[in-house]
Structure formats: structure tokens, C-alpha cells
Amino acid sequence: MTTVALFGAGGKMGMRLGRNLAGSRFETRHVEVSPAGQQRVKDAYGVDCVPAEKAIVDADVVILAVPDTHVGAVAKELLPKLASGTIVVILDAAAPHAGHLPERADITYFITHPCHPPIFNDETDPAAKADHFGGIAAKQHIVNALMQGPEAHYALGEEVARTIWAPVMRSHRITTEQMAILEPGLSETVCATLLDAMREAMEEAIARGVPREAARDFLLGHMNILAAVTFEEVQGVFSDACNKAIVFGKDTILKPDWKRLFEPEEIRESVRRIT
């Protein structure tokens, strides 16, 4: 069996990954520093967490399921102790892109991140419909990057990724830099910001007298059809009135140079802020 050391096993992300690793072909060693997290692992899988030094002995893969803000510190302490040829799996490109991983040419850095279940899907099972994050019942796509290491390690890294994020549909191979463009650039700086603005706009409509339930139903319904047309999920076009409203809205809401958010220096600065 391939041995995986899961660091942060008792945390929110670690527990998600641990559920999918359980019963897989991977032998999992759980590492967790907090007593509460250790107890969660014990309750869920009936196993005890092991010290980091024991977990990494002959481990083929080490997964860092720790917050972005902690990856650098954990990596600095842990990675110098790893055996040559170890594959280190990181769950987000922020810390690697920011240069928080130690320089060791003899180990592999593999980055993977879920796309999360798509808005437009064919799920019919209630559990899958309720799985908005993914990794439980809903199918999702994933992105992976072999930041450094031999090409032969990509296959194993992707197998681990498909296991921890299961059930997986498409698995995309991209670069570390491209992953940073996707997050935080596309998904957080742009998408999350605009969604937060839509929530504020809904609250403004409510403050001006629209009943809350009516405003929420109206907005979410329009998000569905407008997104379907915009992303060509259905064949259709916006009305002339809607197109005029978009032109006015962009000019009013967005700064003319907003796409500079995707310039390399802006992505680096965004990554620096969150790590």
C-alpha cells in the first residue's frame, strides 16, 4: 500500500480528506496537534493520531491539510525532515506561489484544489444536491499542478487528488501560476467580491421596502437564468433592455482598469495578503 501522512487530520479540511482516504488503497497516518482534533479522528475512524516524526517514516506522500496562513511555518519545520523523493501535497497555491515552501530539489511539490460542484449539474440525490463544497456526494472537477519533481510523480499526485476530492469528474493539469490566477484571483478577488456586492444589493432592496423573501427569491432565480445565458449553458440572449442595463452597470460599478487584478504583480500581492 502507498503510505500517506495527513497533517491537520483533525481539522475541518483534514476530516473531509480523511473520510475519503478511509477505505482507499492508501494507508493513512493521521497527525493532529490539538486534543479536540485527535478525539475527532478517534471518533470517526477508530484510530489514534501519531506524532509527526513517526508519520513521515517511509511515507510516500505527505498532505498538508492546514490553513494557508500556517503552511509556511509547518513546511519550514517539517519538510527538512522528509526523505528524498517524498511527494508533498498542498491544497492551495497561495503559500507555494508566495515562496513559503523550503527549497529542496529532491522532494516533490504537488498542488491540488477542488473546483467544487458546479452550479449546473445533473445531481438528483438529495445528499449530492446538499453537498455544495464537494468531496462527499456531489461530483466536482479539480485542478492540479506539479510545482516541482519528476514527471512520474504526477500520476500518483493526481490519484491522491482524485481520492481526497472524490467523486471527481474532470481533472485539469495547470501550472502553479495559473492556479494562483484562479484563486485568489478569479474565485475570491473577483467572484466572491461580486457575490458579496449582490448580497449587499439585495439588502439595499429590502431596506427600500421589498419583502426579504421576495427579494431573495427574485435575485437567486435571476442569478440562475442570467448565469445560464452568460456561460452558454443554454442557448439564449439577453433583451436589449438588459444589455443596456449591463453597459450602465459596468460603467457605474466597476473601475475601468479592474482587469489589472490579473496582472502578475497584483496576483503576487493578493497572495501575499492572504498568507
Side-chain angles (χ1 to χ4, degrees):
M1 296 180 71
T2 300
T3 301
V4 172
L6 177 60
F7 282 73
K12 181 170 63 175
M13 185 60 72
M15 292 297 292
R16 286 181 178 272
L17 273 53
R19 282 193 294 268
N20 284 345
L21 285 167
S24 72
R25 79 170 188 87
F26 298 107
E27 175 193 347
T28 306
R29 299 171 183 170
H30 302 82
V31 181
E32 174 59 52
V33 295
S34 76
Q38 293 172 358
Q39 188 60 51
R40 281 193 291 270
V41 170
K42 180 73 170 180
D43 293 342
Y45 315 119
V47 299
D48 293 318
C49 291
V50 299
E53 293 74 12
K54 182 178 179 180
I56 63 176
V57 175
D58 297 325
D60 301 287
V61 178
V62 171
I63 302 177
L64 302 183
V66 298
D68 290 337
T69 52
H70 295 170
V71 169
V74 172
K76 182 179 180 180
E77 171 68 22
L78 175 67
L79 270 54
K81 303 174 183 177
L82 300 182
S84 179
T86 303
I87 299 176
V88 180
V89 175
I90 305 99
L91 307 181
D92 190 281
H97 188 270
H100 293 323
L101 300 181
E103 293 188 12
R104 275 198 63 180
D106 62 328
I107 62 176
T108 293
Y109 291 146
F110 184 92
I111 311 169
T112 181
H113 197 79
C115 296
H116 304 298
I119 293 175
F120 305 114
N121 58 71
D122 60 357
E123 304 291 2
T124 57
D125 181 68
K129 287 185 175 183
D131 181 16
H132 300 294
F133 185 92
I136 299 175
K139 301 183 293 294
Q140 64 179 334
H141 310 296
I142 60 175
V143 291
N144 310 301
L146 183 65
M147 182 176 182
Q148 72 170 45
E151 179 62 27
H153 278 182
Y154 184 85
L156 178 55
E158 185 182 40
E159 183 185 359
V160 171
R162 282 184 171 275
T163 300
I164 61 178
W165 305 128
V168 171
M169 294 182 285
R170 288 191 292 270
S171 175
H172 302 282
R173 182 171 183 175
I174 59 178
T175 67
T176 304
E177 291 73 22
Q178 290 169 342
M179 197 175 291
I181 289 174
L182 294 178
E183 186 164 304
L186 180 62
S187 62
E188 295 176 342
T189 306
V190 177
C191 183
T193 299
L194 294 177
L195 286 170
D196 191 63
M198 283 191 278
R199 173 60 185 262
E200 285 191 29
M202 184 189 76
E203 295 295 341
E204 182 65 20
I206 294 167
R208 292 172 180 269
V210 179
R212 175 173 295 276
E213 190 171 41
R216 188 175 189 275
D217 288 347
F218 199 84
L219 177 60
L220 293 181
H222 276 73
M223 286 173 64
N224 185 31
I225 182 56
L226 294 174
V229 172
T230 300
F231 291 97
E232 300 179 340
E233 185 70 18
V234 299
Q235 294 297 316
V237 295
F238 294 146
S239 67
D240 290 342
C242 183
N243 284 323
K244 290 179 180 179
I246 290 172
V247 172
F248 174 78
K250 281 187 175 180
D251 185 57
T252 304
I253 299 170
L254 300 177
K255 294 181 179 180
D257 64 342
W258 71 270
K259 291 182 182 178
R260 67 180 176 80
L261 294 170
F262 291 98
E263 293 297 330
E265 60 272 18
E266 291 289 343
I267 294 293
R268 284 194 294 270
E269 180 60 21
S270 179
V271 167
R272 184 198 64 77
R273 286 193 296 267
I274 65 176
T275 58

